[in-house]
Each structure stands twice: as structure tokens, then as C-alpha cells.
Amino acid sequence: MASNRKAAMGFIFITLLIDVTGFGLIIPVMPKLIEQLLHDSSISKASQYGGYLTLAYALMQFLFAPVLGNLSDKYGRRPVLLFSLFGFGIDYLFLSFAPSIAWLFVGRLIAGVTGASFTTASAYIADVSTPENRAQNFGMIGAAFGLGFIVGPLIGGLLGEFGARIPFMVAAGLALTNCLYGYFVLPESLDKEHRRPFEWKRANPVGSLLQLKKYPAVIGLVGSLILVYLAAHSVQSNWSFFNIEKFQWTPKMIGISLGVVGLLVGGVQGGLVRVINPKIGNEKSVYIGLALYALGLLLFAFASQSWMMFVFLIPYCLGGIAGPALQSIISGHVPPNEQGELQGALTSLISVTSIIGPPLMTGLFAYFTKPGAPVHFPGVSFLLGSIFMIASAIWAYVVLKSEKEHINQP
């Protein structure tokens, strides 16, 4: 049984790695493709449309992640995961051959509807994990993400020299190959006796969250998780803008820094989590990780030299021990036949943070860097992110303390 679980984790890691690599391939060339389709060389206008494309994807994920999560509780994880990978392949093909900007939106909408690879993978990991190794296994998602974001953008940048559409074609090939790989190799993780009927009233963002009300600790911890993801957008949405404004970084330097981020994230979530978490437990991992996140963001906000950003990445990325531990605590409160529903609800909420977070963080950056700003402070978004991380730690502490007191009541 242990051998089968280990093999299954290997399959899911490879699946996610190929998936993230495909996504990373298109990052360096997406602005160039948008410029070509708009017949406009303005990076400002291209970034505006890039934001709209991200919004279209996030909205579809918000609506459809609970549907696919509930479907995986009824039919199993394997078919839903394969459907998701196939959808990504079709999306990349649309992007590869898009004759107009409208076709890019069609592709992104398709990807948003079918994009449940991480949702279903999370449910899969919960299925094959024991309470002792659940956090370490969830760390595999972060490791795949980190490694994929080292390999993907690097290859994408090189392929982009041969044309803006070439990386999209390669990404399509990777996604469809991944689907084929999963069809022949990936075993099912959810036994038929642990499945449940599909219900539309539960297969929507509101319904899936209402179902979680019967697990008060889960609802409480979801609030903590939302703050973490909102805080993360202070980095995801502002990293390039901040370092160009503050330190005049070139695209090459930004690419190098993202490679360092991928290396650190992969090392922390794929290696350190497996060592630290069993020694100190999930709860302490959450508090220590969130404190390190907050420290890293605070240091980013007040960095005065370019090299400091690389050094300060260390405490920030070490904060990555919090995510798998928090997700492990949450999934540990939910039975096997509701893991898909849980992960679908979480993905919907994460999509909401992807709608709210970028305009909040970039808006703050724009306000405090424009001419006539009350104070010139490019790091303001990092400071807000640090506050969110501290608030998340306090929130988690209150929820878990309340749960313990409830359990200990006679």
C-alpha cells in the first residue's frame, strides 16, 4: 500500500511539473503575441489586455472549479484531471493559431473552465496521504510549481527567439502529451465506496462554501488562506514593476530573479517541508511560515540596494512551509468523498483573490509612484502584504485555539 502511494505521488508530481512547465513556457512571449494581434507596440496597452485575459481565466475558474471538484467526488480524480489537461492543450492551440485578440479570450475561457489540474491534484494528494505525511505531500505541488517555473520561462524565452507563437505550440504538445501520459500511467485514487452523488446545489462557489459550514474550523482557516493569497499578489503583481522603478532592472535581471524564486520555492516545498513539518507539526509550521513571509515582505518594502532583493528572497521563500501545513490542516477536517468539493471551493476563493489582489496591489504601487504622490514609496504593496500575513497568522491562531477549547469542553 505504501509503495502504491509513493508511485502515485511520483505520477502526480510529473503531471504537475509538465503542466507548470507548459504554463511557464508562454510567460516570456505572451506580451509580444498580444502586441502582434493588437497591431500596437505599446507595452502599456498589451499589459492592459494581459490583465483582461487573466481576469477572464480567473472568473471562469471561480465559476467552474466547484463543478469539476464535485465531479471528481462522483467519478474519481483521474478522468477530471485528464479532462483538465486536455482543456489546457486546446487552450494553447487556440493561442498558437489565434488570428485575432478575441481568439485569445476564447482560449483563456476554455482554460478557465477546464483548468482544474491543481484542484484535482490536491484532492488526489489528500486521497493517497496519511495524516503524518499529508503536509509533505502537499509540498510536492509547490516543488512542481517551483521547478516548472525555472524550466518553463527559460525554454520559452529561447523558443521565443524563433517566433512568438512557437512556445504556445510546444506548450500545447506538452499538455496533450501529459494527458496521454496520465491516461496510461495515472491510477485512480478515490475508491468507488468513497464516492458520492453529484448535486448542482453544491457544485457552485456559494453552494460549495455553504457545505463547508458544517466544519467551522475549515471556514475559519479558509479566511486565513485568503489573506495569504491576497498578500502573495503584492509580489506576483508588483515584482517586475517595483524592481524596474526602484533598481532599473532589465527583463534579463527579472528573469534571473524569477529563476531564483523557482529554485528556492522548489527546495523549500519539495525538500525542507519534508524535514521540518514532521519535527514541529502543522500548527507551528503555519505560524513560523507566516512570520517568515511577513518578514520577507517587510524587507522587500524597504530594500535600498538591488542585491538585497535576492537576499530577502530567502526568508520570504522559507515562509513556504506555511502553505502545505495550512492546507493539510484544512483537508484533514474533511472526509474523502468531499475532498474534491473542498479543493474546488478553495480554488474558487483563490480565483477571487486573483480578481481582487492584482488591481489592489498595482493600484497602490501606481498611486505611490506617480508624480505628485504624497510620498514616493514603491514598496507600499509589500508593506500591505506583510500586514496581511501577520493578520493571517493571528486569524489561524484564534481559529485553532477556539477549536481546541471546544474539543476540550466536557
Side-chain angles (χ1 to χ4, degrees):
M1 186 67 181
S3 177
N4 290 340
R5 283 176 174 166
K6 189 174 181 180
M9 283 305 304
F11 297 145
I12 210 75
F13 176 77
I14 295 296
T15 297
L16 290 175
L17 176 60
I18 296 174
D19 196 16
V20 177
T21 300
F23 182 75
L25 273 170
I26 71 173
I27 291 176
V29 291
M30 180 63 97
K32 189 175 180 182
L33 179 60
I34 294 172
E35 286 177 2
Q36 288 179 1
L37 293 175
L38 289 174
H39 307 292
D40 187 333
S41 60
S42 166
I43 191 66
S44 175
K45 192 170 183 181
S47 67
Q48 187 178 22
Y49 273 85
Y52 295 152
L53 288 166
T54 301
L55 178 61
Y57 177 82
L59 283 172
M60 288 299 101
Q61 274 227 314
F62 172 70
L63 294 172
F64 285 93
V67 176
L68 293 177
N70 276 267
L71 285 172
S72 78
D73 283 340
K74 176 176 173 60
Y75 297 107
R77 318 300 182 202
R78 185 174 179 273
V80 174
L81 187 56
L82 295 180
F83 172 71
S84 173
L85 295 172
F86 182 75
F88 269 125
I90 299 301
D91 166 41
Y92 293 139
L93 286 175
F94 267 97
L95 300 181
S96 300
F97 299 103
S100 68
I101 195 74
W103 284 97
L104 289 189
F105 280 94
V106 173
R108 289 282 80 188
L109 289 171
I110 292 172
V113 171
T114 63
S117 56
F118 277 80
T119 301
T120 314
S122 297
Y124 192 108
I125 289 169
D127 292 339
V128 301
S129 299
T130 63
E132 292 76 23
N133 66 11
R134 186 176 284 120
Q136 298 96 297
N137 287 343
F138 275 123
M140 294 289 282
I141 296 178
F145 188 89
L147 188 56
F149 262 79
I150 297 171
V151 177
L154 177 63
I155 298 174
L158 294 173
L159 291 174
E161 296 294 316
F162 300 98
R165 296 177 186 263
I166 299 298
F168 294 91
M169 297 176 188
V170 174
L174 274 177
L176 295 174
T177 301
N178 199 5
C179 180
L180 196 64
Y181 165 81
Y183 180 81
F184 288 108
V185 178
L186 191 68
E188 179 55 64
S189 64
L190 187 65
D191 297 332
K192 288 186 177 180
E193 58 266 26
H194 287 133
R195 299 180 190 181
R196 62 175 179 81
F198 180 87
E199 300 174 64
W200 278 109
K201 67 179 182 180
R202 298 172 67 166
N204 62 80
V206 176
S208 59
L209 284 173
L210 288 175
Q211 285 299 315
L212 297 179
K213 282 177 65 179
K214 56 190 174 186
Y215 308 110
V218 169
I219 290 291
L221 291 172
V222 162
S224 179
L225 199 62
I226 287 173
L227 286 171
V228 171
Y229 278 101
L230 279 175
H233 279 290
S234 65
V235 175
Q236 294 170 13
S237 302
N238 274 312
W239 185 258
S240 299
F241 298 124
F242 173 84
N243 285 300
I244 291 170
E245 168 71 20
K246 184 88 174 179
F247 304 118
Q248 294 75 54
W249 278 12
T250 62
K252 181 181 178 181
M253 182 63 79
I254 292 168
I256 291 170
S257 71
L258 291 175
V260 173
V261 170
L263 189 64
L264 289 171
V265 169
V268 169
Q269 302 216 0
L272 188 63
V273 167
R274 294 179 169 274
V275 177
I276 292 293
N277 187 272
K279 289 186 177 180
I280 66 175
N282 284 333
E283 193 172 338
K284 286 184 179 178
S285 294
V286 169
Y287 302 144
I288 293 172
L290 292 176
L292 286 166
Y293 269 145
L295 174 62
L297 287 167
L298 188 65
L299 292 171
F300 289 155
F302 295 99
S304 58
Q305 299 290 329
S306 182
W307 59 266
M308 291 179 178
M309 299 304 290
F310 287 90
V311 175
F312 297 161
L313 278 171
I314 295 172
Y316 179 77
C317 291
L318 284 173
I321 64 173
L326 189 55
Q327 198 163 5
S328 175
I329 294 171
I330 292 172
S331 68
H333 283 77
V334 177
N337 65 356
E338 294 181 19
Q339 287 293 333
E341 180 178 48
L342 167 67
Q343 300 303 332
L346 293 180
T347 301
S348 276
L349 288 168
I350 291 166
S351 299
V352 171
T353 67
S354 297
I355 296 167
I356 298 171
L360 171 64
M361 297 302 180
T362 56
L364 272 175
F365 174 85
Y367 180 77
F368 282 95
T369 55
K370 70 180 181 181
V375 59
H376 185 76
F377 185 24
V380 62
S381 298
F382 295 140
L383 180 60
L384 180 61
S386 181
I387 293 169
F388 280 170
M389 288 295 185
I390 294 168
S392 176
I394 295 170
W395 193 316
Y397 175 78
V398 170
V399 170
L400 293 173
K401 183 181 179 183
S402 175
E403 184 187 33
K404 287 176 186 174
E405 290 174 350
H406 179 74
I407 292 171
N408 292 331
Q409 283 179 355

